[in-house]
Amino acid sequence: MPQLSRRAFASALPLGLLGGGLIGGVPAFAAAQNTAKTPLSVTPLAQIRIGRFTVTALTDGYADMPYDYFPGRSPAEVEQAAVAQFTARQSGVRFLFNQYLIDDGERRILIDAGAAGSIGQTGKLPQALATLGLQLDQIDAVIVTHMHQDHMGGLIAGGKNNYPKAELYIDRRDVKHWTDPAKRSGAPDYLQTSFQMADEVVRLYPKLQAIDGEREIVRGVSIVDLTGHTPGHIGVRIEDEGKTLIMVSDMVFPVVHPGATDVFFLFEQDRAAAKAMRDRFFPRAASEGALIAATHMPFPGLGRVVADRGQMRWEVADWALQD
């Protein structure tokens, strides 16, 4: 089973608790009392091992999605479910923006690039990578699971190519859809930013690899077809030494999934296809006990789909400090 690394464990602690337990000769507890009114800014990190791969969960930040952003249920029903799960916010359902860095000692592959300030309280991914001692030009490849703004905004923040040495992989169907002027002209306002960003990504990344279907990026890292949420929505399977992690991107949303597949998110264009994919994926994931990473679930977004008395539910993965 994967384990929490020393670095990840340390980064989860308030800074006053690191080292010898003293700050300038003052016991850490007393120091904490003196600074209790000053909130700590901690960049969360969580690392697991999948065979030879180290997978680090990072986050770009968060945004609260209004309760009326979930077609298939009334806002009151979504809020009631959020209250029952102790996740309700006044402004809606909290979405994290989790990204995952895959490192096999030779290549660093980033899954998604975050919203980069285009939604909510985001733009923290560069800081998270810096905590690992990494600059953006040290990333060898970026896999974009789909071309919604919260997954590609970091690629082009500031109007520039922010990952100049990285190979960029996006499913060809998404590239075609999000760069189609006719699709853009008929799209609602809330999707216009994604269309604009898609054009910028294609312009700023001339070596973009528009990939077709399921394929291996490097040994042990492969693309999984999860079309539905968008025409070219993909996941990433990381597999080595009998261990597997599947990053499923927007297959799972907090509060509403996996308990129901007839609840959607406002940004999904093809609800029938999204439902059909979830109808297939959730039971299979439950039967296999697959370890899953999901972009918008509470950090670090790791869990499993579990069948419980005929209902599907999300079970947070008990992955830390495991053998």
Side-chain angles (χ1 to χ4, degrees), residues 261-302:
T261 59
D262 61 342
V263 186
F264 310 98
F265 186 62
L266 183 66
F267 282 46
E268 290 179 321
Q269 292 90 61
D270 191 336
R271 295 176 187 173
K275 181 180 186 304
M277 179 56 72
R278 291 183 177 114
D279 281 336
R280 293 194 300 272
F281 181 83
F282 289 164
R284 180 175 178 180
S287 67
E288 295 179 358
L291 180 62
I292 291 170
T295 300
H296 299 300
M297 299 301 276
F299 186 85
L302 298 172

